């Protein structure tokens, strides 16, 4: 399915060829554009040429025989043209209206062409207005019975098989691995009333930071929510490649198809059987033990916050850290750190039990010996060990970080016990960070060696 990328990030050459399309920025927008560089630039969508170009793009896409759907991504940032005509309309409503008209033009070459509108973090506060544009074009004009497979009659409004769909993406809210529901009431209502809704969730620890996480509990929770709220599709995001997260991708396929079927443990065992492993139950036990610990860590957006100055800001503010919030959202007490570390130790024991026997070079129970047996080999037990190392190290780092921040917030008034607490936490942090670093590299080399950078990169 071809897409037109975010409408505030169109190619700069567009404004060279058509300078009249460059939006007029308000003072807030000028600051936003300056902060985000040249990637973000609003288009004056009140110009007929903007709609003409978008229609031309969609028409070119529609000419390909294999194309049944096209997608237009709304602007990713809340920046817009401030000319009098644009300023009179909500910018995301205007973008949606232009996209709908451009799509109608493209349907002249392919009447069956379907359109998908991608919501964004920029459009979040305007999503109700965007949905109103999409639904208003249907209400009172297309009977549901015209397309419904059961031939229902007597109702007018959105068809479950509408030719305009909406996909929920938000860089802050759908790229999220917390335990909180993702589909908020506005979108749930849209889907329940027959609107065709999709979502773009991350299937991993983070969309920007690559970390190991075999997560049947997380994936089942996310897919079950989507199914129960009547979503029609999802576009799973796995950075940098599915090869690093084959289990999670397979789990998403499983529970998006049968959300109320197998339990996380049952699926994990079935997946291990499919891999040809000698003891699927041990693998299932490992996922049941380590998966929730990973959820505690990654659900608080660790380590993403670490690379976006979240930790730096915590120390800069000089406030004592709060268990149960922010980085520590799923660590309500200090004892929770210790419980998760104990769970990691149990998971490590199970991972080591699955490691190849010395001298055999295999942990599979089926397949002939020799070269033909290579297709049965899998790096996963080694990856399990390294994944456990990384997640355990992250828990230790979080604990150390909390202990240090708790003391630095007191400052010069810290007593001897508090100073010792911070001093003891420093080597804990150092040791844990070394475990995380070496574990990450070893995990990547185990699951996707061909995709790893050269040693020393």
């Amino acid at each position: 399915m071809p897409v037109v990328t975010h409408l505030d990030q169109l190619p700069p050459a567009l404004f060279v060829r058509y300078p009249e399309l460059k939006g007029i920025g308000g003072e807030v927008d000028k600051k936003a554009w300056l902060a985000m560089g040249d990637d973000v630039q609003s288009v004056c969508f009140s110009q007929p040429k903007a709609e003409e170009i978008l229609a031309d793009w969609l028409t070119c896409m529609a000419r390909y025989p294999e194309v049944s759907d096209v997608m237009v991504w709304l602007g990713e940032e809340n920046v817009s043209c401030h000319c009098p005509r644009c300023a009179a309309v909500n910018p995301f409503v205007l973008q949606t209206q232009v996209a709908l008209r451009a799509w109608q033009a493209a349907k002249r070459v392919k009447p069956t062409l379907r359109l998908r509108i991608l919501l964004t973090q920029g459009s979040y506060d305007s999503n109700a207005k965007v949905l109103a544009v999409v639904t208003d074009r249907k209400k009172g004009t297309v009977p549901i019975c015209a397309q419904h497979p059961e031939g229902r009659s007597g109702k007018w409004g959105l068809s479950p098989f509408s030719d305009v769909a909406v996909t929920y993406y938000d860089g802050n809210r759908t790229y999220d691995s917390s335990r909180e529901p993702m589909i908020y009431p506005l979108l749930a209502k849209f889907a329940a009333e027959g609107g065709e809704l999709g979502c773009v969730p991350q299937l991993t620890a983070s969309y920007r930071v690559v970390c190991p996480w075999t997560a049947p509990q997380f994936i089942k929770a996310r897919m079950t929510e989507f199914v129960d709220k009547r979503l029609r599709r999802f576009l799973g995001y796995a950075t940098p490649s599915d090869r690093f997260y084959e289990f999670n991708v397979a789990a998403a396929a499983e529970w998006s198809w049968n959300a109320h079927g197998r339990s996380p443990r049952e699926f994990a065992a079935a997946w291990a059987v499919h891999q040809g492993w000698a003891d699927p139950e041990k693998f299932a036990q490992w996922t049941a033990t380590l998966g929730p610990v990973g959820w505690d860590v990654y659900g608080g957006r660790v380590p993403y916050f670490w690379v976006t100055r979240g930790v730096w800001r915590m120390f800069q503010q000089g406030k004592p850290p709060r268990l149960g919030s922010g980085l520590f959202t799923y660590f309500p007490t200090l004892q929770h750190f210790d419980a998760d570390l104990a769970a990691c130790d149990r998971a490590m024991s199970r991972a080591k039990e699955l490691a190849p026997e010395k001298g055999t070079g295999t942990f599979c129970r089926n397949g002939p010996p020799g070269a033909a047996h290579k297709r049965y080999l899998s790096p996963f037990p080694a990856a399990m060990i390294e994944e456990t190392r990384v997640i355990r190290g992250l828990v230790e780092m979080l604990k150390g970080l909390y202990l240090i921040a708790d003391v630095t917030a007191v400052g010069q008034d810290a007593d001897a016990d508090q100073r010792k607490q911070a001093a003891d936490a420093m080597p804990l942090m150092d040791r844990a960070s070394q475990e995380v670093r070496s574990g990450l590299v070893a995990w990547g080399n185990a699951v996707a060696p061909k995709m790893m950078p050269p040693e020393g990169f």
Side-chain angles (χ1 to χ4, degrees), residues 29-305:
D29 288 341
K30 287 179 181 178
K31 292 179 182 179
W33 292 348
L34 183 63
M36 290 178 282
D38 296 331
D39 290 338
V40 176
Q41 172 63 61
S42 180
V43 176
C44 179
F45 283 106
S46 295
Q47 294 282 349
K49 179 59 72 173
E51 183 178 322
E52 178 186 330
I53 291 172
L54 186 56
D56 187 49
W57 289 346
L58 297 183
T59 300
C60 289
M61 297 173 184
R63 292 188 190 279
Y64 285 89
E66 62 271 25
V67 170
S68 61
D69 295 54
V70 291
M71 178 180 275
V72 176
W73 297 0
L74 299 183
E76 198 168 27
E77 306 297 337
N78 192 11
V79 296
S80 60
C81 174
H82 282 254
C83 76
R85 287 180 297 174
C86 287
V89 185
N90 177 284
F92 298 101
V93 167
L94 180 58
Q95 291 175 25
T96 304
Q97 291 171 336
V98 170
L100 286 167
R101 291 195 295 267
W103 164 69
Q104 290 285 0
K107 289 184 71 174
R108 295 170 190 158
V109 301
K110 182 175 288 183
T112 59
L113 186 69
R114 292 162 45 84
L115 174 67
R116 301 185 195 180
I117 298 291
L118 184 80
L119 307 175
T120 69
Q121 65 263 30
S123 75
Y124 183 80
D125 291 335
S126 304
N127 282 348
K129 296 178 180 179
V130 171
L131 294 183
V133 173
V134 173
T135 56
D136 284 349
R137 61 172 292 278
K138 283 291 182 183
K139 287 181 178 178
T141 60
V142 176
I144 286 180
C145 60
Q147 299 182 52
H148 199 285
E150 298 178 5
R152 294 178 186 172
S153 60
K155 295 182 179 180
W156 294 77
L158 273 172
S159 163
F161 304 98
S162 168
D163 49 5
V164 178
V166 172
T167 299
Y168 176 41
Y169 153 75
D170 185 313
N172 299 316
R173 297 175 179 87
T174 66
Y175 289 169
D176 172 74
S177 296
S178 73
R179 289 182 168 90
E180 304 307 310
M182 182 166 288
I183 307 304
Y184 64 103
L186 172 71
L187 300 182
K189 182 175 183 290
F190 172 76
E193 293 178 349
E196 188 168 328
L197 180 66
C199 188
V200 187
Q202 63 186 28
L203 303 178
T204 65
S206 171
Y207 78 103
R208 288 188 65 180
V209 182
V210 181
C211 283
W213 191 22
T214 304
Q217 301 85 2
F218 160 66
I219 298 294
K220 186 178 191 306
R222 194 66 83 219
M223 294 301 114
T224 300
E225 180 195 4
F226 291 171
V227 170
D228 289 349
K229 292 182 178 177
R230 299 181 64 179
L231 271 68
R232 295 291 302 278
R233 62 178 56 84
F234 76 94
L235 304 174
Y237 201 72
T239 305
S241 165
D242 290 356
R243 298 287 76 77
F244 288 85
Y245 300 101
E246 290 184 347
F247 178 93
N248 287 5
V249 172
E254 163 83 13
W255 285 307
S256 62
W257 167 70
N258 188 15
H260 299 283
R262 287 188 282 208
S263 68
R265 189 162 180 152
E266 289 169 337
F267 172 78
W271 194 81
V273 169
H274 183 70
Q275 303 302 308
W277 294 357
D279 197 336
E281 182 55 31
K282 284 184 180 178
F283 173 73
Q285 291 172 359
W286 176 77
T287 64
T289 304
L290 190 65
V293 179
W295 210 351
D296 287 345
V297 173
Y298 300 132
R301 301 203 175 192
V302 173
Y304 172 70
F305 275 163

Side-chain angles (χ1 to χ4, degrees), residues 225-430:
E225 180 195 4
F226 291 171
V227 170
D228 289 349
K229 292 182 178 177
R230 299 181 64 179
L231 271 68
R232 295 291 302 278
R233 62 178 56 84
F234 76 94
L235 304 174
Y237 201 72
T239 305
S241 165
D242 290 356
R243 298 287 76 77
F244 288 85
Y245 300 101
E246 290 184 347
F247 178 93
N248 287 5
V249 172
E254 163 83 13
W255 285 307
S256 62
W257 167 70
N258 188 15
H260 299 283
R262 287 188 282 208
S263 68
R265 189 162 180 152
E266 289 169 337
F267 172 78
W271 194 81
V273 169
H274 183 70
Q275 303 302 308
W277 294 357
D279 197 336
E281 182 55 31
K282 284 184 180 178
F283 173 73
Q285 291 172 359
W286 176 77
T287 64
T289 304
L290 190 65
V293 179
W295 210 351
D296 287 345
V297 173
Y298 300 132
R301 301 203 175 192
V302 173
Y304 172 70
F305 275 163
W306 294 355
V307 299
T308 55
R309 299 188 176 184
V311 173
W312 175 76
R313 292 191 188 98
M314 180 176 69
F315 282 99
Q316 184 188 45
Q317 292 170 356
K319 297 179 181 178
R322 290 178 52 199
L323 292 173
S325 67
L327 298 170
F328 312 107
T329 294
Y330 298 110
F331 293 91
T333 64
L334 272 174
Q335 291 74 25
H336 199 96
F337 290 109
D338 296 329
D340 275 3
L341 290 171
C344 288
D345 292 339
R346 295 194 301 272
M348 182 63 82
S349 296
R350 293 189 172 99
K352 288 180 177 179
E353 290 171 0
L354 274 171
E357 294 182 12
K358 190 173 183 179
T360 65
T362 179
F363 48 86
C364 298
R365 65 183 175 193
N366 53 3
H373 189 242
K374 289 182 180 178
R375 69 187 183 93
Y376 292 92
L377 297 180
S378 167
F380 217 81
M384 290 165 62
I385 291 173
E386 303 307 334
E387 177 173 334
T388 308
R389 283 179 64 198
V390 170
I391 291 178
R392 191 186 196 285
L394 290 171
V395 174
E396 282 195 305
M397 290 177 72
L398 275 171
K399 181 180 179 181
L401 185 66
Y402 174 80
L403 294 174
I404 295 169
D406 190 46
V407 175
T408 56
V410 179
Q412 297 297 322
D413 296 329
D415 58 29
D417 289 340
Q418 290 172 317
R419 291 175 185 272
K420 184 178 185 303
Q421 171 182 302
D424 291 344
M426 290 300 292
L428 172 73
M429 286 280 290
D430 181 62

